[in-house]
Amino acid sequence: MIEIRDISKSFGALKVLNGLSLTIAKGEIMAVIGKSGGGKSVFLKHLIGLLRPDSGTIEIDGIDIVTAKGQQLQRIREQFGVLFQGGALFDSLTVFENVAFPISEKTRLSKKEIAQRVTEALSDVGLSDIEHKYPAEISGGMKKRVALARALIARPKIVLFDEPTTGLDPIMLRAIHRLIADTHRKYGFTGVIISHEIPEIFDIADRVALLYEGRIEEVGTPSEFINSKNQVVRSFLTGGEDL
Amino acid sequence: MIEKTIRGLGRWGLRIVRTMGSMALFLINAIAVTFQRPFKFRLLLKQIRFFGSKSLLVIALTGAFTGMVLALQLYYTLRKFGSEALLGPAIALSLIRELGPVLSALMVTGRAGSALAAEIGIMRISEQIDALVSMALNPFRYLIVPNILAALITFPLLTSIFDVIGIFGGYIVAVELLGLSEGTYFSQIDAFVDMEDIRIGLYKALSFGLIVSWVCSYKGFNTGFGAEGVSKATTEAVVLSSVLILIWDYFVGSLFM
């Protein structure tokens, strides 16, 4: 379980997170929506300790990642897989080497076992015969899939998705959402998805949270969200410009 | 007005102190993970190639022409004192003690240091460094340590190559063009150049290797946002490395006089 309590973060005079609290249950997919530049990616980076809040706590299975250091912090991070916005594939490595990277660096699996895991991970995301290519040689949609395969290959307990479908066409968007749902069913990870894709994200999320002015304005199931009377939620869902 | 100027100076001073502290911590972090196993030999070899063999052409060209220019200029000066016989050691000592290490370091900064800062900077803005951290891997082991070690290995080697080619460049001008005897050129080098001179040159090369790899890695690692951030980091890396090379050269030079 991920328990975020009252975190605040400022960059200079700009307050990005302002007393944000949220609980994410084990095994659920939580979608975090909100306007662009509203601090969603900043929030996600706090979950894995890439950024530290000015105040507040973030507990991952009871351990506060904000105060964790050294080996303890590494052990928490080992539970995570992250799909970054642009994929964050290593340019100098092939697709095979990129996907294999987490397990070849962190485990003592044999080359044969690593190859099997890579093939399986790529097949989970519907890819084959591109192992020898470099990231620059494949399309944007393929990069996202490869990044998803890399995020999942170490069988993480928690997977963070930072706008996994940004910049993709509607067909690829649905394909990536379907892959997230399929792999979630297969591996049972806890997922946190930062997304702008409304209403599509409601199809795969167990719960949705709206981040507004640095805090969670509303959290609930997709149906609760759609039927919400909260004015901010209604404005956001209808694309109101008064937000 | 005066208060505003003092405040501005204070802010500038604080920024310099903060940057120096941050750079020192960066180096300490790199040293701390240098001896962690398993060692990244493949990455080290890759970076040796990047710093070393890919810089060979520019080092050879610069070395040859530096030696040739030195021969022309020193011959002109020494002839005024009737000391043309000392042209060989004058070229060799200038190269070995001073110009070899400094010019090699400046050339490698321009060729490899800028590329290093840009590469690490692009990895920063495209979240590849964040990806390493999120995999519970230390980016210093993958990106910083191999570069510092590779620079420490290659800078003395490149400097030696620069020196040798420079001495032969000087030989071509002195002996083939200006008519100095071949025996005089080499025998006087043998008589005047000590092992101590060579050691000083190599110490300098070693310290320049550390400066260039440290500054360029640091600037790339702490790059700002977007293409502009990378461009600024690359420029700063080259300028700061070059200035530090010249300042450090003076201090080492005065220490070993």
Side-chain angles (χ1 to χ4, degrees):
Chain A
M1 190 170 81
I2 305 172
E3 182 89 47
I4 302 135
R5 285 196 210 99
D6 205 22
I7 60 166
S8 295
K9 179 74 178 177
S10 298
F11 295 100
L14 181 68
K15 196 149 195 143
V16 180
L17 302 180
N18 187 14
L20 186 152
S21 295
L22 183 67
T23 301
I24 301 162
K26 193 173 181 181
E28 78 169 332
I29 290 189
M30 170 71 79
V32 179
I33 59 174
K35 61 179 181 179
S36 295
K40 299 187 298 299
S41 293
V42 169
F43 161 68
L44 201 75
K45 286 185 176 180
H46 277 81
L47 295 185
I48 198 163
L50 286 169
L51 289 173
R52 282 177 191 268
D54 301 329
S55 62
T57 60
I58 301 166
E59 288 185 3
I60 314 289
D61 291 334
I63 302 167
D64 186 5
I65 197 168
V66 178
T67 52
K69 282 186 179 128
Q71 288 298 314
Q72 192 183 35
L73 180 60
Q74 296 296 71
R75 274 197 296 277
I76 298 174
R77 281 180 175 152
E78 280 168 7
Q79 300 178 35
F80 281 86
V82 185
L83 172 55
F84 287 91
Q85 206 168 335
L89 297 174
F90 303 122
D91 304 324
S92 57
L93 303 182
T94 62
V95 165
F96 180 93
E97 290 165 333
N98 261 290
V99 177
F101 200 80
I103 53 171
S104 61
E105 293 297 316
K106 298 294 287 187
T107 68
R108 292 189 175 180
L109 293 174
S110 67
K111 280 187 177 174
K112 194 179 164 191
E113 285 169 313
I114 289 173
Q116 277 171 353
R117 289 275 290 271
V118 171
T119 309
E120 188 190 352
L122 286 172
S123 123
D124 280 344
V125 296
L127 293 173
S128 59
D129 298 329
I130 59 156
E131 288 92 334
H132 59 283
K133 291 193 173 175
Y134 284 89
E137 298 170 335
I138 58 177
S139 69
M142 279 181 170
K143 277 183 197 165
K144 295 268 185 181
R145 288 172 184 227
V146 173
L148 180 60
R150 187 179 70 178
L152 296 175
I153 195 164
R155 312 271 158 86
K157 289 182 185 167
I158 304 163
V159 185
L160 310 179
F161 303 88
D162 189 2
E163 300 190 19
T165 51
T166 296
L168 299 181
D169 61 67
I171 296 166
M172 191 53 71
L173 181 152
R174 276 193 289 277
I176 296 286
H177 278 180
R178 197 186 64 243
L179 284 171
I180 292 172
D182 289 349
T183 48
H184 176 251
R185 259 194 301 279
K186 187 172 175 184
Y187 299 112
F189 52 77
T190 304
V192 183
I193 306 179
I194 301 295
S195 182
H196 284 121
E197 314 297 352
I198 295 166
E200 291 87 347
I201 195 67
F202 293 157
D203 296 338
I204 59 166
D206 295 310
R207 288 198 299 153
V208 182
L210 173 65
L211 199 160
Y212 180 68
E213 292 191 343
R215 63 181 71 193
I216 298 299
E217 177 69 24
E218 176 133 335
V219 59
T221 62
S223 60
E224 286 169 347
F225 228 78
I226 292 163
N227 299 315
S228 172
K229 299 279 186 284
N230 184 318
Q231 198 51 48
V232 177
V233 175
R234 296 245 46 91
S235 293
F236 193 78
L237 294 183
T238 54
E241 289 179 8
D242 50 332
L243 273 181
Chain B
M1 176 67 185
I2 294 171
E3 191 188 322
K4 205 176 166 187
T5 311
I6 293 171
R7 272 190 192 176
L9 281 170
R11 264 198 296 272
W12 180 75
L14 279 175
R15 204 170 55 236
I16 299 270
V17 171
R18 254 200 301 270
T19 306
M20 283 167 70
S22 164
M23 285 185 73
L25 283 175
F26 184 86
L27 185 62
I28 291 167
N29 267 333
I31 294 168
V33 298
T34 299
F35 304 103
Q36 275 180 14
R37 289 178 185 218
F39 300 118
K40 298 286 164 199
F41 281 117
R42 267 184 65 189
L43 281 175
L44 176 61
L45 288 176
K46 189 176 161 226
Q47 291 316 106
I48 286 175
R49 180 168 177 266
F50 170 72
F51 270 108
S53 68
K54 287 188 172 179
S55 303
L56 271 177
L57 182 64
V58 71
I59 288 293
L61 277 173
T62 324
F65 282 97
T66 305
M68 289 160 80
V69 170
L70 271 178
L72 280 177
Q73 295 302 323
L74 288 173
Y75 181 81
Y76 174 76
T77 310
L78 290 171
R79 200 175 54 179
K80 290 193 170 183
F81 303 102
S83 311
E84 300 97 311
L86 295 176
L87 184 59
I91 292 171
L93 285 172
S94 305
L95 285 170
I96 291 168
R97 287 181 65 103
E98 194 61 49
L99 292 174
V102 172
L103 289 180
S104 305
L106 291 176
M107 286 299 128
V108 180
T109 302
R111 199 209 65 79
S114 55
L116 176 64
E119 189 180 342
I120 297 178
I122 288 168
M123 289 187 78
R124 165 64 75 198
I125 63 166
S126 61
E127 296 182 310
Q128 292 176 50
I129 294 177
D130 286 346
L132 279 171
V133 176
S134 73
M135 290 173 203
L137 299 168
N138 189 336
F140 275 71
R141 285 187 65 208
Y142 294 84
L143 304 176
I144 313 302
V145 172
N147 281 307
I148 292 179
L149 291 179
L152 290 177
I153 293 167
T154 52
F155 270 60
L157 292 172
L158 289 171
T159 300
S160 307
I161 292 167
F162 186 102
D163 292 346
V164 171
I165 293 177
I167 289 170
F168 275 98
Y171 164 86
I172 289 168
V173 173
V175 177
E176 304 296 336
L177 291 181
L178 303 172
L180 200 74
S181 103
E182 186 178 330
T184 308
Y185 187 83
F186 284 115
S187 67
Q188 294 297 327
I189 289 177
D190 192 35
F192 282 94
V193 178
D194 298 327
M195 200 57 212
E196 182 65 11
D197 299 313
I198 296 171
R199 234 192 323 264
I200 290 168
L202 293 182
Y203 287 153
K204 283 186 178 179
L206 209 59
S207 55
F208 294 158
L210 180 65
I211 288 171
V212 173
S213 55
W214 174 25
V215 170
C216 294
S217 303
Y218 172 84
K219 286 290 177 187
F221 202 80
N222 293 287
T223 199
F225 299 103
E228 195 184 340
V230 177
S231 145
K232 192 166 169 248
T234 309
T235 308
E236 285 177 0
V238 173
V239 172
L240 185 59
S241 298
S242 306
V243 171
L244 285 179
I245 284 167
L246 295 173
I247 293 173
W248 186 245
D249 180 52
Y250 173 77
F251 282 111
V252 178
S254 59
L255 197 71
F256 289 106
M257 274 307 274

